[in-house]
Amino acid sequence: MTTPPSTLPVRAMLVLGTRPEAIKLAPVARAMADSEQFEPLVVTTGQHREMLHQMLGLLGVDVRAALDVMRSRQQLSDLTARLVRELGEVMREQRPDLVVVQGDTTTALAGALAAFYEKIPVAHVEAGLRTGVIDNPFPEELNRSLIGRMARWHFAPTPRAARHLTEEGVPVEQVFTTGNTVIDNLLWVLAEGTGTSAFGTGSAAFRTGARRVLVTLHRRENQGERMRGMGRALARLAGRGDVEIVLPLHKSPAVRDALLPELDGHPGISLVEPLDYLDFAATLAECDLVLTDSGGIQEEAPSLSKPALVLRTTTERPEAVEAGAARLVGTDPDAIVTWAERLLDDPVEYRRMATAGNPFGDGQAAGRVLAQLAEDFAAEVPVGLTASGPYSAA
């Protein structure tokens, strides 16, 4: 694969399927659209179809192609096969010079694999996250490791993530520490005046003057009895009487099957449909405390000085824990209640976490991504799949 002529923009296909991918690739897509050097081709796969397209419009992102890969309760193997096949067809039709994937979803893995099969170089945004446990989180830990074997550019959000890659043998000249694009997008939303109810169209989901706790739960490894236990812990916490819990219910039937029997109708808990990004940003900005098994919220919460309790046994984002902005409390119901009450009742501990700072960047990650891609595509040496692999100029 050779570099396109300098008079033509680089056709960059951004593949995304879930809401977190959309949030984190939106700054890259906007920056490419504003640049004469790039033509962004955004392809959505439909993993979070109901949540995605309206949000992309609000975030200033145009969609070139939309797939429809989701089937009710389909197996991961079926989803992966369908994604690789359909993305391969779109790539052959659109003929991009570059494919950009983000994070560790099945869409990201399939996008990288389809691009590899088509001999198109891959840029991996948010590269290098690792827990060291191949099935936790599942299947994300394996996905991101496999993408790391196929990517030409590895855009790591932190120095730790970059070290993971070089320790795994990725050439140092292919690894770039950029910060996390989720911070770019959060700051963009706030600057646009659309991220909090105080500034504009975003509307927080809290409705009372009680202590405000935002909860998100969805991880596959937490589903089933473990998630039911988390639901019982939330009911205990809400039973204090001075807490309002807002929990946007993930669309996954497994999540709803676990949580609804434990929480539906509880007077201290508001179960709401998934919030659009503007409303979610407003709700995050107005909460006092975050309980989550999400990855992205571990990055966003410190930016708004919100302590986060991580309801997982591992995290690929230990920087927030080490900084003191988040705490890995696990999934035991007693531990969840204990730590939540400690932060609600101990102002010193709360202040310590709230003021710990954000280790995930300065909001300029997308610009760094574009600068590196622009430099490499403008170079006289052709851009191949890898720096030294079978499709490079070497």
Side-chain angles (χ1 to χ4, degrees):
M1 170 125 192
T2 60
T3 306
S6 59
T7 57
L8 298 178
V10 176
R11 291 171 58 83
M13 180 173 287
L14 293 85
V15 178
L16 56 94
T18 66
R19 171 175 160 147
E21 287 170 294
I23 291 169
K24 293 181 177 184
L25 282 180
V28 180
R30 288 194 300 265
M32 285 182 170
D34 290 340
S35 169
E36 295 182 354
Q37 295 172 277
F38 292 91
E39 179 187 357
L41 314 171
V42 176
V43 177
T44 66
T45 65
Q47 270 196 261
H48 289 177
R49 190 176 186 87
E50 300 92 339
M51 306 179 187
L52 208 59
H53 282 233
Q54 180 184 18
M55 183 182 71
L56 285 170
L58 292 170
L59 295 178
V61 176
D62 294 326
V63 175
R64 177 65 59 95
L67 308 182
D68 183 16
V69 300
M70 295 306 291
R71 304 292 183 271
S72 178
R73 298 181 185 270
Q74 71 182 332
Q75 298 297 311
L76 273 174
S77 54
D78 296 328
L79 173 61
T80 304
R82 187 173 286 113
L83 280 167
V84 173
R85 181 178 65 251
E86 295 195 21
L87 285 170
E89 292 174 357
V90 173
M91 290 174 192
R92 288 189 292 275
E93 175 187 319
Q94 295 290 331
R95 301 180 63 83
D97 304 301
L98 161 72
V99 168
V100 183
V101 299
Q102 189 281 327
D104 48 28
T105 67
T106 304
T107 284
L109 173 64
L113 186 57
F116 181 80
Y117 287 161
E118 299 299 323
K119 299 186 179 181
I120 303 168
V122 173
H124 187 197
V125 175
E126 198 181 75
L129 276 64
R130 300 290 186 269
T131 67
V133 183
I134 197 169
D135 61 350
N136 192 342
F138 177 86
E140 289 86 355
E141 180 73 6
L142 179 62
N143 287 352
R144 52 189 170 231
S145 297
L146 293 174
I147 296 168
R149 297 290 295 165
M150 295 181 277
R152 166 65 178 83
W153 294 271
H154 305 256
F155 294 113
T158 65
R160 178 191 292 270
R163 286 196 302 273
H164 288 158
L165 291 162
T166 55
E167 289 169 359
E168 291 172 3
V170 177
V172 66
E173 63 271 18
Q174 291 181 244
V175 180
F176 311 95
T177 303
T178 60
N180 200 302
T181 55
V182 73
I183 308 303
D184 297 38
N185 209 51
L186 184 62
L187 297 180
W188 180 85
V189 166
L190 295 174
E192 289 291 306
T194 54
T196 70
S197 56
F199 287 104
T201 61
S203 178
F206 294 106
R207 295 292 178 260
T208 74
R211 304 296 299 279
R212 296 157 297 192
V213 179
L214 174 61
V215 180
T216 70
L217 295 171
H218 76 282
R219 303 215 78 88
R220 288 177 184 266
E221 65 270 18
N222 280 345
Q223 292 171 11
E225 180 54 38
R226 184 177 290 180
M227 192 167 288
R228 286 189 286 273
M230 293 178 178
R232 292 190 290 271
L234 295 176
R236 286 170 54 191
L237 187 63
R240 287 167 47 112
D242 65 342
V243 169
E244 179 188 3
I245 293 175
V246 166
L247 197 166
L249 273 175
H250 197 274
K251 289 290 188 180
S252 164
V255 172
R256 295 183 175 224
D257 289 348
L259 293 176
L260 282 171
E262 306 295 338
L263 301 177
D264 195 23
H266 195 292
I269 299 176
S270 297
L271 300 177
V272 300
E273 289 302 309
L275 303 172
D276 70 36
Y277 184 59
L278 305 185
D279 289 344
F280 183 82
T283 304
L284 179 62
E286 291 197 8
C287 80
D288 297 304
L289 175 64
V290 177
L291 277 64
T292 186
D293 65 3
S294 165
I297 297 173
Q298 295 177 54
E299 299 154 349
E300 292 171 305
S303 295
L304 298 178
S305 301
K306 308 299 180 181
L309 298 181
V310 182
L311 311 187
R312 294 168 55 179
T313 58
T314 63
T315 180
E316 63 279 23
R317 295 167 173 84
E319 294 90 344
V321 176
E322 292 172 356
R327 178 172 289 274
L328 190 67
V329 301
T331 61
D332 177 72
D334 290 336
I336 293 170
V337 173
T338 295
W339 275 103
E341 290 192 327
R342 179 170 176 179
L343 287 169
L344 291 169
D345 297 335
D346 184 343
V348 174
E349 180 68 16
Y350 183 92
R351 187 164 51 252
R352 184 188 66 79
M353 291 187 68
T355 59
N358 175 24
F360 295 109
D362 58 4
Q364 302 298 318
R368 296 184 184 104
V369 169
L370 254 65
Q372 187 60 52
L373 292 174
E375 178 182 333
D376 288 348
F377 273 94
E380 294 182 2
V381 178
V383 172
L385 287 184
T386 66
S388 58
Y391 306 108
S392 69

